[in-house]
Structures are given as structure tokens and as C-alpha cells.
Amino acid sequence: MDLSLSKSQLMIRKNMRKFASEVLDEWAGVLDRDSTPLPADVVREMGRLNIWGIQAPAEIGGAGLDTVSYSIVIEEISRVSAAVGLGVTVHNSVCLAPLLAFGTPEQIARYGPDLATGKKIGGFTVTEPQAGSDASSIQTRAVPDGDHYVLNGQKAFVTNGGVGDLFLVAASVDPAKKSKGIAIFIVEKSMEGFEVGKIEDMMGMRGNMVSELFFSNVIIPRENVLGRPEDGFRISMKTLDIGRIGIASQALGIGTAAYEAAATYAMERKQFDRPIGTFQAVSFMLADMKTHLDASRLLIYRAADLKDRGMPYSTESAMCKLYASSTAMQVCMQALQIFGGYGYVKDLPVERFFRDAKITEIYEGTSEVMKIIIGNDIIREFNRF
Ligand SMILES: Cc1cc2nc3c(=O)[nH]c(=O)nc-3n(C[C@H](O)[C@H](O)[C@H](O)COP(=O)(O)OP(=O)(O)OC[C@H]3O[C@@H](n4cnc5c(N)ncnc54)[C@H](O)[C@@H]3O)c2cc1C
């Protein structure tokens, strides 16, 4: 069993680290402070680096990378700016990936190249004001009418909502059938009746324009249904399996940044005439941080590897998200403690890491929902009665 990264994966890590430190680092604090999106020229540069089409095939302008490499890209970006990491992971794993996995050749030809090159930014929206963890209870309705559907409803907390051009939207086509009556629609921002609502003023991830979306009699051609209309819920769940590897990688990036900052500071900062990192209480915190981050990375790479080998990975994806997100929170809390009062002020990025980390325990399924997924798997395995 070889747990080392391949030459190409190491090269991807090196290149992404260089890009993040040379380009994104300058923006990370600004995006957070002003709650503004990345400038268009940086978005374009990311397109040139294939960051908007990490796993998309080269024929449509993507990099065609494996999922471990995908995780590395998200980790490295999130290490510097988790908000940018969020936009990238959602675009790639819950918009472009399901388009490529479930789309028709026509849908892929029409939307794939612009998404894979970052000419268009994508999102995926299920959540509504009354439907969060219980995604099957969505109220957004798509009524069939001749060669199209008429879409009405409201979505909440849409990542990339304020800047996106194209969204995969879950809507009920048959409310009586609950989850079996949910379809996924490819919806373009330019369609009449599409409206971006309030951009959320958030605790963290402030550089992502997470927003409400409203649909008022939006005419959606039938050819914009992703997969079969009755398969929308199943597609959503499969999509989130992919997405959770990305969120776990994002959490790993945030946690790693906090750990590295804390370890560096602990060896520089002296109290009682010695570096605070040489006090056992502090070095034990660093030891826990390093160990849990490494365990997160291994869980993520295992889920990624299973996915690449075409094996089931739904439970492993939930496990890596559960573990990496709780590790990110714990590590950020300990990092802040190591920085003492300096961790609490905005001059240093540690408090931003702390604010950014929290949401990884909530979106793409809360930690409680991850435990439901893992628990159901255990029940299937052990409940013989
Ligand atoms: C920054 C941000 C970005 C987001 N991006 C997107 C996006 O792009 N697309 C999208 O569709 N959604 C997005 N979301 C929404 C996110 O996925 C939801 O917030 C999340 O799924 C939880 O739903 P909720 O907030 O309605 O909480 P609720 O479902 O109301 O849950 C509240 C609490 O109850 C617990 N709970 C609920 N049901 C159970 C249960 N059965 N057993 C045990 N505990 C339970 C939860 O774990 C949680 O602790 C985003 C949210 C944020 C804040």
C-alpha cells in the first residue's frame, strides 16, 4: 500500500501553493473585510490554470485530473482563502461534475466548455427557507407545459449566487411523490424571471457571494432537465457525495493554515524566557492538531481514491467531511488559543480561519446529517434482526 503522492500530484501541490501565495494571498483579507468577490482578472487567471475545470476532460477545456489531485487543489486554495476555495469546490464538484456525469451530450457540449474554463461560474441549489437538512421537502415547483417547464420558487444560501451564471436547481415536478418527484434543472441567470436576492452578510466565507435566488415563471426548456425528471433527488445525493470530498478538503486547508501559523508563532513568541511552543501544554496542542489534520487528509484521500476506482464511497465521503470539518474547528480554536490575545484581533488571519471553519460543519449536510448517513450504513451492515 503506497500512501505517497505521485509526481504529478506533488507538482500540482507546488503549482497551486505558488498561485495561492502569489495571487490569492493578496486578496484573502480584502475579500473577507469588504465581503466582495474576486476581481474578474483573477477569475480569468484561474481559468488559464484550469482551476474551474479541475476534473473536466481536456476536450472541453478542463485539466482531467483525478480526485486526489482535486482535493489537493481545493486544500491549497483554501489554505489561503477559504472563500475562494468554496467558490471553486462548488463550481467544480456540485455543478460541473453532475453536468458531466448525468448530462446529455448536447447539455455537456452547450454548457461544459464555458464552465470548465471559468467563462461561466456555476452553482447548485437545493436549500430553501423551509427546507434545509430535509431536502425532500422543497417547495420550488416546476410545472410541465408543452415543450417546457414553468419554474416558480425561492432558494436560500446559494454559493456563488451573486456571481454565478448557471445553476443546477432542484424543483418539485410532482409534490405528491416527495423525493421521487424532484427534478434538477439547468437554469441560466439570463432567463427571464430569474432574480438574485439578498447577498448574505456572513460570519465567514465573506468573499463568496452566497445569496437568495428567486424564480418567477421562468420558462425552462425540457432539454434542460438533468437526467430523468424523477431522478433529481438521487442525482442531488450523488452530487453531494462528490461535493463533500471538496468541503472536507476545504476544511483541511483552513485547519492546515491555522496549524502552520500557530506552530510558527509558538516557536517565535517567548514568555518566561522561552518559546511558548516548548511548554508541554502548547506542544501537546500542536501534536493534536498535526495528528488530526493528517488523519483528515488520509480519510479524504481514501474517499477520493475509492471514487476514482469506481467503488462506492458515499459513507467514506460523509466520514471524511465529518472528521475534517470538526478537526478544522478544533484546530482553529487551538491555534487561536496559542496566539493568545493576538489571535483575537483582525490584524492576523487566525480569527478569519476560525470564522471560516465553522460553516464546514454545516453546509453540504450538517455533521448530524453525516452521522445519519454513516449510522444508516452501520445499521445496514449489522442489523440482522
Ligand atoms: C455559507 C453557506 C453556503 C451554502 N451553500 C449552499 C448551496 O450552494 N446550495 C444549497 O443548496 N445550500 C447551501 N447552503 C445551505 C446548507 O447546505 C444548509 O444550511 C444546511 O444543509 C443545513 O440546513 P439548515 O440551515 O436549514 O438547517 P436545519 O436543517 O434547519 O438544521 C438545523 C439543526 O438541526 C439539525 N438537524 C436537522 N435535522 C436533523 C435530524 N434529522 N437529526 C439530527 N439533527 C438534525 C441540524 O444538524 C442542525 O444542527 C449553504 C449555507 C451556508 C450558510
Side-chain angles (χ1 to χ4, degrees), residues 4-164:
S4 52
L5 296 179
S6 69
K7 266 195 187 147
S8 111
Q9 289 162 342
L10 288 170
M11 182 60 76
I12 287 158
R13 162 154 288 156
K14 190 167 158 223
N15 291 342
M16 280 302 120
R17 194 162 291 187
K18 186 167 183 292
F19 166 73
S21 67
E22 287 178 2
V23 180
L24 295 182
D25 196 38
E26 177 192 339
W27 288 102
V30 179
L31 305 186
D32 178 65
R33 186 194 63 210
D34 299 344
S35 191
T36 45
L38 264 182
D41 59 323
V42 182
V43 174
R44 273 195 297 277
E45 188 171 348
M46 289 164 70
R48 281 192 291 276
L49 293 170
N50 286 130
I51 290 171
W52 300 111
I54 304 167
Q55 295 202 269
E59 304 87 73
I60 63 161
L65 298 180
D66 60 86
T67 310
V68 171
S69 302
Y70 169 73
S71 165
I72 291 170
V73 174
I74 302 301
E75 180 193 342
E76 290 302 323
I77 292 175
S78 304
R79 216 167 134 255
V80 172
S81 171
V84 176
L86 171 61
V88 172
T89 185
V90 162
H91 171 96
N92 274 278
S93 67
V94 293
C95 184
L96 182 51
L99 177 81
L100 297 175
F102 302 104
T104 61
E106 292 74 26
Q107 288 170 340
I108 293 171
R110 178 152 185 214
Y111 298 111
D114 279 353
L115 285 172
T117 52
K119 287 196 186 85
K120 286 198 169 142
I121 298 299
F124 167 79
T125 168
V126 179
T127 307
E128 297 178 0
Q130 309 306 323
S133 301
D134 180 9
S136 66
S137 65
I138 56 171
Q139 306 287 309
T140 293
R141 190 85 166 85
V143 178
D145 182 13
D147 61 355
H148 60 263
Y149 286 83
V150 182
L151 181 71
N152 278 289
Q154 170 181 359
K155 293 291 178 184
F157 296 127
V158 185
T159 296
N160 295 339
V163 295

Side-chain angles (χ1 to χ4, degrees), residues 157-158 162 195-201 209-214:
F157 296 127
V158 185
E195 197 192 322
V196 178
K198 172 172 62 104
I199 307 283
E200 300 297 346
D201 184 6
M209 300 299 102
V210 174
S211 78
E212 302 170 322
L213 291 183
F214 294 93

